[in-house]
Amino acid sequence: MRGLIAFVAGAVFGAGLLVSGMTDTTKVQGWLDIFGDWNPTLAFVMGGAIIPMAIAWRFTIGRKPVLGGSFPPQSDAKPGRNLVIGSTLFGAGWGLAGLCPGPAMASLGFGGSGAILFLVAMMAGMAAAPTLRSRLDAQSAAV
Amino acid sequence: MHIDWIMGLAGGVLIGVAGAIFLLANGRIMGASGLLGGLVDGTGQHDWAERAAFIAGLVVTPAIIAFAMGGAQTHLTGNIAVILIAGILVGIGTRLANGCTSGHGVCGISRLSLRGIVATVFYIGAGGLTVIIFKHLLGII
């Protein structure tokens, strides 16, 4: 049952990414192009997505997930160096190609060889991340 | 209103509904980079089936819709070096930051998570700066 719900959530997410235009790299780069031909579409996508999620978070108060377990607690961790460095690297890659991880997977079926190449490179980066993380942590421990 | 904005809003609501379903039923945060990354680096072995099912839905549904509509435009650059570097940066960055546009942006901001808000400010800022440099100054993208 958890798998079925996960599939449905993934399917609705994928449909939303396609409908919203997040799989179209020109719209994403257009949003980031503040000093060029700015396209505000992404603000509408973000706004549209945050509203149902904010309602869902309110719904979690005093309840348990329908299929058992517990809701993820809010992290106590403060925004640290890894968060800032990671988000900056991610943003640079996002700006270069116009794809973030969700749309990269969503465009796999129709994006041709470029979409496959991006996904493979992204997964290679994901595999390399734990090494970089431990190096950064070792460095900050030494300082 | 511009048709792009209406489609953006409608698609955004679908994205939020998907995140709400995943949270309220399974108790999980819908973060694309975390769901895939856990399979890549092995940290998500204990719930691999749930992750794989989510990714299957995420890959198959847009493919079917695009096929039914006679194709979908991606406009992804043909520059292989740009694709490879961008992919590696997105992969490393999202795992180091523990989240991407869906996890930090949609699920984090909606919860008023400080980490989600800070991450979003930095990735949008870095993305904007990258477009200025590589599009307007260097003309590469």
Side-chain angles (χ1 to χ4, degrees), chain B residues 23-35:
Chain B
L23 178 69
L24 295 176
N26 289 23
R28 295 288 304 264
I29 289 176
M30 187 183 76
S33 58
L35 288 164

Side-chain angles (χ1 to χ4, degrees), chain A residues 2-3 6 10-12 24-25 27 33 35 40 48-49 53 57 66-67 71-72 74 77 83 86-88 91-92 100 122 125 133, chain B residues 4 12-13 16 19 23-27 50 53-54 61 74-75 87 91-93 95 97 101 107 110-111 113 115 123 127 130 135-136:
Chain A
R2 294 185 70 87
V12 176
D24 183 345
T25 60
K27 280 185 192 162
D33 196 2
F35 296 101
M53 269 315 292
W57 281 119
V66 177
L67 298 178
F71 287 114
Q74 193 138 13
L83 184 86
S87 296
T88 304
C100 53
M122 187 174 87
R133 180 192 295 268
Chain B
D4 273 9
V13 170
L23 178 69
L24 295 176
N26 289 23
E50 190 178 10
F54 182 92
T61 316
T74 62
H75 296 115
I92 289 182
R95 291 303 278 159
T101 342
C107 297
S110 61
R111 195 184 200 183
S113 150
R115 283 174 59 81
Y123 67 68
T130 301
K135 186 177 180 184
H136 298 297

Side-chain angles (χ1 to χ4, degrees), chain B residues 34-108:
Chain B
L35 288 164
L36 176 64
L39 291 178
V40 171
D41 66 17
T43 53
Q45 277 173 339
H46 60 288
D47 54 6
W48 69 270
E50 190 178 10
R51 292 166 184 266
F54 182 92
I55 292 167
L58 171 56
V59 173
V60 169
T61 316
I64 292 171
I65 298 172
F67 180 74
M69 295 193 317
Q73 292 294 323
T74 62
H75 296 115
L76 182 63
T77 174
N79 186 328
I80 290 175
V82 170
I83 292 179
L84 285 176
I85 293 167
I88 290 169
L89 286 174
V90 170
I92 289 182
T94 52
R95 291 303 278 159
L96 198 58
N98 259 323
C100 55
T101 342
S102 48
H104 278 315
V106 175
C107 297

Side-chain angles (χ1 to χ4, degrees), chain A residues 106-125:
Chain A
S107 56
L108 200 60
F110 55 87
S113 55
I116 297 169
L117 201 62
F118 184 89
L119 193 75
V120 170
M122 187 174 87
M123 288 168 75

Side-chain angles (χ1 to χ4, degrees), chain A residues 2-104:
Chain A
R2 294 185 70 87
L4 183 69
I5 296 289
F7 182 85
V8 171
V12 176
F13 182 43
L17 289 172
L18 186 72
V19 169
S20 64
M22 289 289 285
T23 53
D24 183 345
T25 60
T26 51
K27 280 185 192 162
V28 174
Q29 287 174 324
W31 152 262
L32 294 171
D33 196 2
I34 303 152
F35 296 101
D37 188 13
W38 191 60
N39 181 345
T41 301
L42 204 90
F44 288 85
V45 182
M46 273 284 197
I50 284 171
I51 294 164
M53 269 315 292
I55 297 168
W57 281 119
R58 287 205 70 107
F59 235 84
T60 61
I61 298 166
R63 291 189 177 86
K64 292 270 176 201
V66 177
L67 298 178
S70 52
F71 287 114
Q74 193 138 13
S75 173
D76 297 331
K78 295 223 161 35
R81 189 164 75 163
N82 288 356
L83 184 86
V84 169
I85 295 175
S87 296
T88 304
L89 295 178
F90 161 44
W94 193 38
L96 274 180
L99 281 181
C100 53

